[in-house]
Amino acid sequence: MIAMDTRLTDITMQFPGTRALDNVSVTFRRDEVHGLIGENGAGKSTLVNVLGGSLQPTSGRIAIADKELKLKSPRDALLRGIAHVSQEGSLVQALSGAGNILLGAEPRTAGVIAQGRLKTEAAALVKRWFPQVSIDLDEPVGSLPMADRKVIEIVRALRGDVRLLILDEPTATLPAREKEQLWAIIRGLPKQGVGVILISHFLSEIKALSDRITVLRDGRHVVTEKAVDLSESQLVDLMLRRSGDTASKAQTEKTRATGDVVLRIAGWKAGRIEVPQFEIRAGEIVGLIGLTGSGHFGFARSLYNPAGVTCTTCEVGGSAVALHKTLTMRDAGVALVPDHRMENALIGEWSLRENLAMVHPQHAVVTTGVLSRRREEAEAQRVMRLMNVKAHSSAQELKTLSGGNKQKISIGKWLYGAQDRYRVMIFIEPTEGVDIGAKAEIYAEMRRLAGQGVGIVIASSDLIEIETMADRVVPFVDQTARPELARPQFSESAFIGAMSGVAA
Amino acid sequence: MSSASTGTAPSQELVLGFLRKDHIQRYSTLVVLVLMFVIFAATVDRFLQPQNLLNIAQQISILTIVGVGLTFGFAAREMDLSVGFAVGLAGILVPLLLTKDVALPLALLAGVGAGLVIGGINAVLVTIIGIPSLIATLATASILFGISFLLTGGRAIYGGLPEAYLWLGQGRIGGFPVLAMLMLIAVALAWFVMERTVFGRYIYAVGGNRKAAELSGINVRFYRIAALVVCSVFATVAGMLLASRLGSGQPNAGERYLLDGLATVFIGMTMLRPGTSTVVGTFFGALFIGIINNGLNLLGMDTYIQSIVKGIIILTAVAIVSRTTKLNLL
């Protein structure tokens, strides 16, 4: 069996500004479910992307069955027997289950897809791997239950000669009763010679399914152990940094003076997201946490853009806001620094000055609608100094900046020409892809803003960030806000418990 | 994957290299333009005569105005394929009204009004119904073409056009064509709006990153509508001037302004701010096309050859833009 291992040795993956993987060595076997855990940003996705051929490591070696090789593309990896089923799903919704399973390899008669054989071959594949499963393969997958769709994706991935199957959060989108069904399927695979790499946020799931577990932290390999030798609380300890950050934490331990309520909402419904009650005072920092897709990011966005939201109460700065237009909340004083800054906040080809002036270009207006370069430049310089943006001039193209400096511009947009008009500032993943130095500066800026009486909302999947910054935390489970945690209750395990719906 | 391969921090050398490459890209089209000018000047007898240069200015005027309109559309990432027939429609509507004894200012206003209506319809199709502009304007182009022929029965309209109207397209002030002056005014005005006003900034923002514009509180729909309307209005203004220059309204005279207009924008997108349409870039694009057409004409090349040359130029420009920036028009 050893000869059939997939072995990663000293894999390092360097991105501009961050080292996503740092000399990681792991061996995956064909006869095991191998759990891969770590916080967001620990390097799990990067590692499986290297294995799946989507990323080429900066250095390090990959060997399959003791033969060293390079995985140049996802196709290349697939030919070597490594298949990747991503979290989001990659099915063609309008095609039938059979059509999806044999997508790109349809049986043909004289160039025409042979529908009959398509069905029987697809059914045979399902039966070969999962004899206990029955799925309607004629239905368009868009109308099938989520678990069935996942099974179809897995069967398609197993079409070739697969030795290793990467499953990224396979149960994240599944209702509880469908999870069990998928668990049985995953556990059966190693018996048929297909090793599984399982990534999941649910520790209980990792514990229950895995033979061995690898923990990553900050791009480094922490440990690979038999699952039976590790308890869930040990796993949590291994995942989380236990040192550092104490200085910044001490800073927030001081009780911050808080002022009047700057935002109060009740009966907030944004699509499926429900928040019965939420308020934030001037100077407060509130954290929103949740598992992927649990609604904390959606809620944060809906506070800024309330299109389609209904509510019973919505007050900003003490006065009621009617939610009839997308910009009413912004006009009332709510700002949003979104996640994925290059998609949602910035224009790469623009200068820093133009990016900063995007929200309030009016600041530099001299006569009706006409901009003064000089005034714009002066204000851009002020914000760049305030945010300590490292660039040679405000005319530099934004895309040439590092992640941290880009994020500073994304925040600075709301400070440019704003004259303290924002009472609530919402940050989603404020430090994603940001180096440690810039991270500290961004935290300091949030605290400065809070000190000025801005209510700060941070929606983040970085639990250490939440623990460091927040005064209180609202966990989201299944699109709903749950009872909040106050600072004395803070701990990573309390957060994880609250996020997975387990009462602390 | 490209982010992975550029993993290491750029060294000073790389940064300098990048700047150089950037500059080459920014100015190479201009260099080609100047080279072309020099070659024609050296090889074609009459090319450098002041009269010919003024001819070029006059010849590119209408094209430039169409191109500048398209520049607004492209800046907001909207493509308008109806400009050619918008030129054609205005170019018969205004002469038609004038031959029916409508006062000149009113007839010109009607031409602008036609632009507002055409742009408005395009904008509704694109921003409210949600049809990609490339497709919606292709369909309106066909409709405009049909209307033009219905209005005239396919015949040209000439005779009885007032002197004042013909002066716009044919007159000269101190030897300088009025048409070229109107073009320069249009270019200056459009440049000012795009580069020096909040309106222009927002149009660029909507085209640069729609999602970011939206989350920055910009009314994206309004600026997409505005860009499409400006595009059509410039086209109909160009159409009125075209009929004035030709001294007649011809239903199919506008056709070639679509492809040539797009060419000016694409050539413009290769320079200054690569990947972004700019008014000055488009002006140089029109100059590029004008000089080639003029030079080849003087050399006695027939129009088929010119058409082939133009096609190659457009492909080259678009190839440069697509390979170096993310050109996403749909």
Side-chain angles (χ1 to χ4, degrees), chain A residues 13-16 53-56 72 304-305 327 330 336 338 342-347 349-350 353-354 357-359 361-362 365 369-371 373 376 397 400 413-414, chain B residues 1 3-9 15 18 22 26 192 195-199 201-202 204-206 208-219 273-274 276 324 326:
Chain A
M13 185 78 235
Q14 180 75 43
F15 290 121
S54 312
L55 286 176
Q56 276 63 51
K72 297 188 199 75
Y304 172 78
N305 178 358
L327 290 178
R330 191 194 80 141
L336 171 71
M342 290 314 290
E343 282 148 49
N344 294 329
L346 303 170
I347 301 181
E349 291 73 26
W350 278 19
R353 174 173 58 80
E354 289 166 319
M358 197 157 21
V359 183
Q362 290 81 5
V365 162
V370 178
L371 294 166
R373 272 274 166 98
E376 195 167 275
E397 253 188 309
T400 60
K413 276 171 61 180
W414 297 98
Chain B
M1 217 174 298
S3 66
S5 56
T6 55
T8 48
V15 170
F18 173 73
D22 204 47
R26 232 162 251 208
F192 185 79
E195 304 298 327
R196 289 288 182 271
T197 68
V198 175
F199 181 87
R201 184 67 65 78
Y202 278 171
Y204 275 133
V206 166
N209 186 340
R210 198 161 282 174
K211 190 82 200 162
E214 203 179 308
L215 288 176
S216 299
I218 296 170
N219 185 341
R273 265 175 279 159
T276 305
T324 52
K326 37 174 199 211

Side-chain angles (χ1 to χ4, degrees), chain B residues 63-76:
Chain B
L63 176 60
T64 305
I65 293 171
V66 175
V68 166
L70 282 168
T71 305
F72 279 79
F74 272 75

